[in-house]
Structures are given as C-alpha cells and as structure tokens.
Amino acid sequence: AISTWFWDFNDGNNSTSQNPDYQYLATGNYNVTLTVTNISGCDSSITLPVNINPVPVAAFTSDTVCLGAATTFADVSTGSPSQWSWNFGDGSAVDNTQNPMHTYTIAGTYPVAFLVANGSTCMDSIIHNVIVKPLPTAAFAFDTVCANAATSFVDQSISAVTWQWDFGDGSPVNTGNSQTHVFPASGAYSVMLTVTNSSGCTDTVSHSVTVNPNPVSAYTATTACYSYATAFT
C-alpha cells in the first residue's frame, strides 16, 4: 500500500497530498513528477507534461444600430480564443463565427451574450446591452402641380428632426419640414424626401409628381358695330 506521495509541480512548488489541486501562476508546459513510497519504503516516480493554457478574456464591440440595418459585431478578446458563441438576445440561433453581422427586426434593448474558448476547457463570457434604435417615417403630401406655379409640399413624417428634399429637377437639395417649389417645365418628376430622427436613423420616401402644362389663352372677335352683337371665339 502507498504510504506517502510527493508531487513536484516543476515551478518550485510541491505537495504531499494524494490528490492535490494546484493553481499555476503562469501559462506554459510543466513536467510534473509524482513520487510514491509504500509501507515497505520502496518508491517509484513518473513524470508527465502538463500544459497550462491561457485563459481568454471575452470582449467585443458593435457599431451604431438602426432598425433593419445589419449590425457588425467585432471580437476584441485577448488570450487567443479559437471558439466563439454569440447569443444576440432576440431568440435567433446562436452564431459561432468570430465577427458576425446580425439584423434585428424590432427596436429595443437586447442583452448580447458572447462566450469565447481557446480550444480547451478555458473560457470566458461577457454580456453587453445593444440598443436597436427605431426609424423615423418619411411621408409628405402635395397639391396640384402646374408649370411655373409654386407647389406646396407638406411634411407628414413621424419622429423627424432633419429633412432633405430632392425635387428631381436638378435644383439644390432643400432642408426644412415643409416646402414650396416651382418646377421649370411640365413633365414627370421623382420627388424624394429623406428624414433623420434624433438617434441618427434615416428613412426615405419618393413620389412621382406630374407637372401639368399650362393652357395658352387665345381668342378672335368679329368686327363690331354699336348696338350689334359681337362674336368672341
């Protein structure tokens, strides 16, 4: 029967426990020697390599998130992880790529859980909240359009704080919520409104606006005498 045990952990420390738990203070390869002695005073030794892997530290960044846009998640972990697991907090499937992109379908705050491992039992995880910002709604109405007449464009957008109007006729882009504009000629123009909300998210809407040609006034009249009817055509 074994009566004594001696463990040499190859880092200047040792133990006489039968089954010790030992914490190394540095990563690397250690040749650990176990020497046992039985009740008769006979001993035996064995040396085996033990690899102490670095513990990864999970960390990530994400860009500004607007609803409907793909969000980029970047792994910035340390400790050379080789395995990744992303839970985006919206019920979607776990993603095991290092730097995934994900599109949320509803605005809100999502706890994103990120786990990394270095190919062994060493792992670390972190959770950050990602805020998915709502979009504004771009909308406008306009009145009947005639060439060379001022046409009113009324903003009906929701949650907008800035506006950009492109009237599709080569004129400069205008800002402001409601506009009046004079088209230089009759025809069809694509009028586009882009709005931005306080979170920096944008929405765009466009309508086809038909600019009607103006009629041309003209008439003739018969030679008229006093007390006779004059014909105007």
Side-chain angles (χ1 to χ4, degrees), residues 8-11 24 28-34 46-51:
D8 182 350
F9 298 115
N10 194 214
D11 66 347
Y24 284 93
N29 294 314
Y30 297 88
N31 293 316
V32 177
T33 300
L34 169 62
I46 186 174
T47 301
L48 296 173
V50 174
N51 182 34

Side-chain angles (χ1 to χ4, degrees), residues 85-95 104 110-115 128:
S85 176
W86 299 85
N87 185 329
F88 298 114
D90 60 353
S92 59
V94 171
D95 193 311
Y104 290 93
Y110 296 89
V112 177
F114 180 43
L115 184 146
H128 285 317

Side-chain angles (χ1 to χ4, degrees), residues 9-49:
F9 298 115
N10 194 214
D11 66 347
N13 295 304
N14 54 68
S15 173
T16 56
S17 298
Q18 181 178 2
N19 300 300
D21 289 327
Y22 183 71
Q23 181 178 351
Y24 284 93
L25 300 180
T27 61
N29 294 314
Y30 297 88
N31 293 316
V32 177
T33 300
L34 169 62
T35 301
V36 294
T37 304
N38 62 15
I39 58 177
S40 301
C42 303
D43 56 36
S44 176
S45 296
I46 186 174
T47 301
L48 296 173

Side-chain angles (χ1 to χ4, degrees), residues 44-69:
S44 176
S45 296
I46 186 174
T47 301
L48 296 173
V50 174
N51 182 34
I52 304 301
N53 297 298
V55 177
V57 178
F60 71 90
T61 61
S62 60
D63 57 9
T64 301
V65 185
C66 289
L67 181 63

Side-chain angles (χ1 to χ4, degrees), residues 133-160:
K133 301 172 183 177
L135 299 178
T137 300
F140 66 90
F142 53 93
D143 57 15
T144 302
V145 185
C146 294
N148 299 313
T151 303
S152 295
F153 291 88
V154 180
D155 173 52
Q156 297 178 328
S157 304
I158 299 173
S159 301

Side-chain angles (χ1 to χ4, degrees), residues 67 74 184 189 217:
L67 181 63
Y189 297 87
S217 300

